[in-house]
Amino acid sequence: MNLIYKNEKTLFGIMLALSLLIWAALVIGTVGMALAYLLLFFVTYCFAQSALVSYLKGTAVQITPAQFPDLHQRIEACCERLGLAQVPEAYLLQMGGAFNAFATRFLGNNFIVLYSDVVDALEDRPDAINFYIGHEIGHIKRNHLRWSALLAPAAVLPLLGAAYARAREYTCDRHGFHACDDLKSAQVGLAALAAGGKRWRQLSVSNYTAQAQQSGGFWMSFHELVGDYPWLVKRMAVVRGLAQGNEVAPPGRHGLAYLLALFVPRFGVGGAGSVLALMALIGVLAAVAIPAYGEYTAKARMAQAVVVGHEATAAVERYFYANGRGPETLEQAGYAMDDPGHAVQDITVDPGNGMVRVFPSDLNYRGKAIAFTPSVDENKRVVWRCASEDIPASVLPPECRN
């Protein structure tokens, strides 16, 4: 039996290629600033992840040969069966009735956490606990935790990020199935997730599996397409098929649900590491967006300042044609500044050569001027050249760039 879900490798390849392109664009687009943000958020991630691991070590019960030896033996046996050479640290955690388990990673060390209510509920079917153990080993074996930060840019993309997350769950369910001695134990493990610690014994797997046929409607299709987990009824159908030696094809989804899901980014990432990776991505995007927005507003205000400059040069030009010389002041030329947007702090004219200088009000360029230099062409017409030695050409209108 292939332990890797059919679509996982393909989706991983697409995610990796897109993520590398996005990271490269961010690093180049921010002139390396993205690396500083990544370092900052790596430190933040370390603190957050250390809080989780510290909580486990300070609250949960570590599973060892001396403490819960039966569970320790199961974990070792599952690791051996699934080909995981290094047995991860394992803990039993009381979560107030929640049924689940999870794997996490911190500074190169892997951890598995079993919820005590799952273990208690399956006391008379302990082989079903192997399903939970094997599922989390699947995450470790497939390096899902290790790759999450690198894949973060593509993970938020509509359809793709959620599809990869669901493919990982199917892969880990197959690992959980393979970890069980009894082919029906994986179904028992999922039944406990569905019906709880007591009612799972009365759950009809065939009837529950039949509910998967309802998942092809528009709304169920849409909410699965934007979610990280396949519907539990579909997971049950798959492991039931594996127990019978069959590969179950999931019911088709509604076509319009794909169209709507295409407009919904994936933000339902799981785990502290994924959340912090998303925060890092948002921070890096902000490093691109904030300077870009600042440059956009600077360009807009420079364009307004140049418009004010043109009005002043027009007044100087009229005075020159009427008097054969330049004005001593702009007021002498009959010019009164009209600047409703307050883009200009000051504007002057040089009586010696007629040069008009516009001083923008932008705080980043206070004291720096845009110069309008006049000259007379062969037809005795005044020609103006706009330029600045102090203000970057990138924020000036094209006409003022040399």
Side-chain angles (χ1 to χ4, degrees):
M1 183 187 74
N2 188 354
L3 297 183
I4 303 174
Y5 181 64
K6 60 181 180 179
N7 293 336
E8 185 189 337
K9 289 185 177 179
T10 300
L11 291 169
F12 172 80
I14 297 171
M15 294 269 291
L16 180 60
L18 290 176
S19 294
L20 289 174
L21 287 174
I22 294 171
W23 283 127
L26 289 173
V27 171
I28 295 171
T30 59
V31 197
M33 285 180 58
L35 297 177
Y37 275 83
L38 288 175
L39 178 60
L40 173 63
F41 283 102
F42 174 74
V43 173
T44 306
Y45 161 78
C46 287
F47 274 95
Q49 197 70 351
S50 69
L52 172 61
V53 173
S54 297
Y55 175 77
L56 290 176
K57 291 178 178 288
T59 306
V61 182
Q62 186 173 6
I63 300 172
T64 67
Q67 188 82 274
F68 306 130
D70 58 322
L71 291 177
H72 186 266
Q73 290 173 5
R74 288 193 174 278
I75 293 170
E76 285 189 327
C78 289
C79 288
E80 182 177 357
R81 178 172 293 185
L82 294 171
L84 187 65
Q86 185 173 356
V87 179
E89 286 188 39
Y91 291 85
L92 186 69
L93 182 63
Q94 199 285 120
M95 287 294 289
F99 277 63
N100 212 335
F102 68 88
T104 190
R105 181 179 175 85
F106 180 61
L107 298 180
N109 296 317
N110 295 310
F111 300 84
I112 288 178
V113 180
L114 301 177
Y115 288 8
S116 59
D117 288 278
V118 169
V119 176
D120 293 342
L122 300 174
E123 187 173 6
D124 57 348
R125 290 292 299 273
D127 187 51
I129 299 173
N130 287 16
F131 172 75
Y132 292 89
I133 297 171
H135 183 101
E136 303 311 327
I137 289 175
H139 283 302
I140 296 172
K141 182 75 184 298
R142 291 292 302 154
N143 291 316
H144 294 158
L145 307 174
R146 181 176 295 175
W147 287 102
S148 61
L150 180 61
L151 299 179
V156 301
L157 296 177
L159 292 177
L160 179 62
Y164 177 61
R166 293 192 302 273
R168 294 190 312 180
E169 292 304 310
Y170 277 128
T171 289
C172 292
D173 278 354
R174 298 172 83 89
H175 281 72
F177 174 83
H178 190 63
C180 297
D181 295 320
D182 186 336
L183 295 182
K184 293 185 178 180
S185 291
Q187 299 169 59
V188 172
L190 288 174
L193 279 182
K198 295 181 179 180
R199 287 285 178 172
W200 71 261
R201 296 173 178 82
Q202 303 171 33
L203 182 140
S204 168
V205 173
S206 60
N207 289 342
Y208 187 63
T209 301
Q211 291 179 216
Q213 299 306 315
Q214 303 173 26
S215 65
F218 173 79
W219 287 115
M220 286 193 70
S221 297
F222 168 74
H223 288 292
E224 186 179 36
L225 287 170
V226 299
D228 285 4
Y229 293 89
W231 293 122
L232 195 58
V233 290
K234 296 173 73 171
R235 293 171 63 185
M236 179 69 86
V238 170
V239 298
R240 186 173 184 236
L242 293 175
Q244 297 171 350
N246 301 319
E247 290 284 351
V248 175
R253 298 191 183 98
H254 199 286
L256 288 179
Y258 282 94
L259 181 62
L260 181 59
L262 189 60
F263 297 94
V264 182
R266 172 183 172 259
F267 291 116
V269 289
S274 296
V275 171
L276 285 165
L278 177 60
M279 289 172 58
L281 177 60
I282 292 172
V284 172
L285 290 174
V288 177
I290 292 173
Y293 177 75
E295 184 170 314
Y296 168 78
T297 57
K299 285 181 177 180
R301 293 185 66 78
M302 288 298 171
Q304 295 174 12
V306 168
V307 170
V308 173
H310 284 314
E311 293 171 353
T313 59
V316 171
E317 188 174 329
R318 288 193 296 270
Y319 185 90
F320 175 80
Y321 288 141
N323 300 279
R325 60 180 178 84
E328 295 292 325
T329 64
L330 288 173
E331 289 77 7
Q332 187 180 39
Y335 172 75
M337 185 169 64
D338 181 16
D339 180 25
H342 304 290
V344 174
Q345 181 188 20
D346 193 16
I347 185 167
T348 64
V349 63
D350 187 327
N353 56 19
M355 179 184 291
V356 173
R357 288 185 175 88
V358 177
F359 294 86
S361 60
D362 192 316
L363 291 175
N364 295 315
Y365 305 105
R366 281 287 176 91
K368 300 178 181 180
I370 304 172
F372 294 82
T373 305
S375 60
V376 179
D377 64 13
E378 62 275 9
N379 297 318
K380 305 298 183 181
R381 295 183 60 84
V382 177
V383 178
W384 295 92
R385 184 176 69 87
C386 173
S388 176
E389 296 181 355
D390 302 317
I391 299 175
S394 59
V395 299
L396 292 172
E399 63 181 285
C400 300
R401 299 174 188 173
N402 298 325

